[in-house]
Amino acid sequence: MNWKTDYRSFYYAGAPEPEDPDLDPAQTALLCIDVQDYGLDLPEDPAQRALWEPFQLRMRQTVLPGLRVLQDAFRDKQMDVLHARIACLLEDGRDRSLSQKKPGWNNLLMPLDSQASQIMPEVAPRPGEIVMTKTTDSALTGTNLRLTLHNMGIRNVVVAGIYTDQCISSTVRSLADESFNVLVVEDCCAAGTMELHRHELEVINMIYCHVMSSRELAGLLGLEL
């Protein structure tokens, strides 16, 4: 994989290769989005369980271990690690955004203390790390994350988590609109299928973010993975 040429959509098929981003560690943070219990909960229905098996395998074999390594690399270099999670403040979920009230898979009723809303222990926040609680897809729209990043002097946001085509994409677009430099770590993200995952990366790459692997990011930041 070469981040400068891969994940290109129709619009950027012939675009020149981008220059290496200027990633001052003091101005760069890792944002881990929605890696929660609900996403790893196995469906009871056998057909649904089989349908989600590739996602479960990617999460267990690639995303969770890779994200943990990336988190620790940031911490070892004294770089900020932030987290966002979906959780409603009211038990009946009246405070949720419309996208989380519509019938179907995205109808997420997860109060603050519910097991479903908890971040997976493999990638859980360390003491002192910021956790944003949201009732929206975008981690920026539904929280004070923009102000927090601004106050911390963060200009570059490295994004990882789930789901690539939903909360990752929404957050990336919001961050880009607020003029943050955004990098998405491909092997630390997942969507329901690899087709959805790759397609969304092609949609957001080059305009809203740069998509790269954790190894490529480590090379740019001088991280030890």
Side-chain angles (χ1 to χ4, degrees), residues 28-87:
T28 305
L30 173 62
L31 176 61
C32 311
I33 298 176
D34 300 352
V35 191
Q36 297 170 245
D37 189 84
Y38 88 96
L40 278 296
D41 191 22
L42 293 172
E44 293 183 5
D45 178 68
Q48 283 295 312
R49 184 174 292 219
L51 194 64
W52 281 92
E53 185 177 5
F55 169 81
Q56 294 284 342
L57 288 174
R58 177 171 172 83
M59 289 298 298
R60 297 293 184 183
Q61 297 177 1
T62 301
V63 175
L64 286 173
L67 181 54
R68 175 57 185 270
V69 168
L70 188 60
Q71 288 177 338
D72 288 344
F74 267 68
R75 291 163 180 150
D76 289 344
K77 201 164 183 176
Q78 305 301 308
M79 297 171 66
D80 289 297
V81 177
L82 297 89
H83 309 260
R85 68 167 183 145
I86 300 170

Side-chain angles (χ1 to χ4, degrees), residues 1-208:
M1 176 179 176
N2 182 345
W3 72 269
K4 295 190 176 188
T5 56
D6 205 2
Y7 295 108
R8 296 254 182 144
S9 71
F10 169 85
Y11 301 108
Y12 292 94
E17 292 186 7
E19 297 181 0
D20 288 349
D22 181 14
L23 299 176
D24 180 349
Q27 298 180 327
T28 305
L30 173 62
L31 176 61
C32 311
I33 298 176
D34 300 352
V35 191
Q36 297 170 245
D37 189 84
Y38 88 96
L40 278 296
D41 191 22
L42 293 172
E44 293 183 5
D45 178 68
Q48 283 295 312
R49 184 174 292 219
L51 194 64
W52 281 92
E53 185 177 5
F55 169 81
Q56 294 284 342
L57 288 174
R58 177 171 172 83
M59 289 298 298
R60 297 293 184 183
Q61 297 177 1
T62 301
V63 175
L64 286 173
L67 181 54
R68 175 57 185 270
V69 168
L70 188 60
Q71 288 177 338
D72 288 344
F74 267 68
R75 291 163 180 150
D76 289 344
K77 201 164 183 176
Q78 305 301 308
M79 297 171 66
D80 289 297
V81 177
L82 297 89
H83 309 260
R85 68 167 183 145
I86 300 170
C88 54
L89 305 179
L90 298 173
E91 289 292 319
D92 63 4
R94 285 180 292 125
D95 56 308
R96 293 173 297 164
S97 62
L98 180 60
S99 63
Q100 293 180 11
K101 291 178 180 177
K102 290 183 176 179
W105 184 74
N106 282 318
N107 184 10
L108 300 174
L109 179 57
M110 300 192 301
L112 281 171
D113 296 329
S114 65
Q115 183 58 43
S117 73
Q118 304 308 305
I119 295 174
M120 295 296 292
E122 295 95 327
V123 293
R126 294 281 180 85
E129 292 180 351
I130 292 173
V131 180
M132 295 289 176
T133 296
K134 63 190 180 74
T135 55
T136 54
D137 277 12
S138 169
L140 211 70
T141 303
T143 70
N144 67 340
L145 178 59
R146 184 204 64 78
L147 179 62
T148 299
L149 292 171
H150 175 76
N151 290 346
M152 293 167 63
I154 299 298
R155 296 182 60 250
N156 313 301
V157 183
V158 177
V159 175
I162 57 176
Y163 290 86
T164 313
D165 55 326
Q166 298 195 13
C167 293
I168 296 294
S169 179
S170 294
T171 301
V172 165
R173 291 165 183 261
S174 296
L175 287 166
D177 281 345
E178 295 287 348
S179 295
F180 290 96
N181 300 314
V182 187
L183 296 88
V184 174
V185 187
E186 180 278 329
D187 51 316
C188 293
C189 296
T193 69
M194 286 301 294
E195 289 78 13
L196 287 171
H197 173 71
R198 182 170 185 91
H199 177 263
E200 191 61 35
L201 292 178
E202 291 174 351
V203 169
I204 61 178
N205 188 37
M206 298 287 289
I207 179 171
Y208 302 112

